Amino acid sequence: MKLLARHDTLIAIIGTAVLTGVYYLGVICPGHSAARDIKAELAQTHARMAELPALMLEQTRLQSQLDGQRETLAQVEIFLPEESHESQVLHEVASLAQQSGLTIHRLEPLQTIKFASYSTHPFQLNCRGEFREIAGFLKGLETRPRLVTFGSIALVRNNADRSQRLIQATVHFSVYSRQLNSTEVAENTVSRRPLASDN
């Protein structure tokens, strides 16, 4: 009987040991491993959160740089557009000359000169007026938002009427475009009627 009792006790102890081992290996060890993983993940998250203010400052700096680049690009697009729009240039120059009090004899686009990254669109203007009117016109042309350069300016005094101080001016100037699509003036944009200031 004692042998049977010892046998039952031994089975109970071995069973308890096996269950304890299974519980330790199946529950406690994975729990400790999961807890270590969670602690490591929390440490990484805290490290990333510590970097967040620096990242926000960097984002703000990069955003301000991007805004500055966009502003510069917008100015370049006005200063040096992608298309020549010769008819628009002709209209603006004619309007400016008339506002300055000049009489236009001839205003025409010349042959476009193509370069690798831009094109030059030269124009010739023949007009008549007083020196101050010509100077006002040139100043107005120079201060346009679009890039304008002057090639040559010839001023000749008009000797036909000595009572008036009129000067005959020939102005060669150029505008520019970054990309040339078409610089031909369309037939429907060219008026067949002479300008009101033509003689």
Side-chain angles (χ1 to χ4, degrees):
M1 194 70 157
K2 283 186 178 182
L3 184 58
L4 202 52
R6 283 185 189 167
H7 189 302
D8 287 342
T9 305
L10 188 60
I11 290 175
I13 290 172
I14 292 173
T16 304
V18 169
L19 286 175
T20 303
V22 169
Y23 178 76
Y24 180 75
L25 293 174
V27 176
I28 303 246
C29 283
H32 281 300
S33 177
R36 277 195 305 271
D37 292 345
I38 290 171
K39 282 183 183 177
E41 196 174 325
L42 279 172
Q44 289 176 353
T45 303
H46 283 299
R48 284 199 297 266
M49 287 177 67
E51 294 172 0
L52 193 59
L55 290 173
M56 295 293 286
L57 285 173
E58 181 68 11
Q59 182 195 10
T60 304
R61 186 184 68 79
L62 291 173
Q63 185 64 44
S64 65
Q65 276 186 348
L66 179 63
D67 293 342
Q69 291 293 331
R70 284 181 178 157
E71 260 182 54
T72 303
L73 182 60
Q75 290 172 354
V76 166
E77 286 176 355
I78 293 171
F79 193 66
L80 197 64
E82 288 186 2
E83 297 179 6
S84 63
H85 298 296
E86 288 184 353
S87 59
Q88 182 181 356
V89 173
L90 291 170
H91 177 71
E92 289 178 3
V93 170
S95 297
L96 182 62
Q98 289 176 348
Q99 289 170 9
S100 301
L102 299 178
T103 302
I104 298 173
H105 295 291
R106 185 174 190 164
L107 174 58
E108 66 175 332
L110 303 176
Q111 184 65 40
T112 296
I113 305 167
K114 298 179 185 179
F115 295 95
S117 59
Y118 68 95
S119 295
T120 302
H121 309 283
F123 291 83
Q124 178 179 330
L125 169 68
N126 294 332
C127 60
R128 187 178 69 212
E130 292 185 8
F131 183 80
R132 63 179 175 78
E133 295 169 341
I134 295 170
F137 165 74
L138 294 176
K139 183 177 180 182
L141 194 59
E142 187 181 36
T143 56
R144 305 298 286 178
R146 184 171 181 162
L147 176 64
V148 176
T149 58
F150 296 99
S152 64
I153 301 171
L155 302 176
V156 178
R157 184 169 180 178
N158 188 356
N159 293 325
D161 188 358
R162 298 219 179 247
S163 63
Q164 295 181 333
R165 298 176 301 186
L166 296 179
I167 295 174
Q168 196 75 28
T170 303
V171 181
H172 289 90
F173 64 95
S174 297
V175 297
Y176 300 86
S177 65
R178 284 180 285 135
Q179 185 177 3
L180 182 64
N181 289 336
S182 173
T183 58
E184 298 296 323
V185 179
E187 284 296 320
N188 59 359
T189 62
V190 179
S191 174
R192 297 292 179 192
R193 293 178 295 121
L195 291 170
S197 59
D198 283 355
N199 286 341

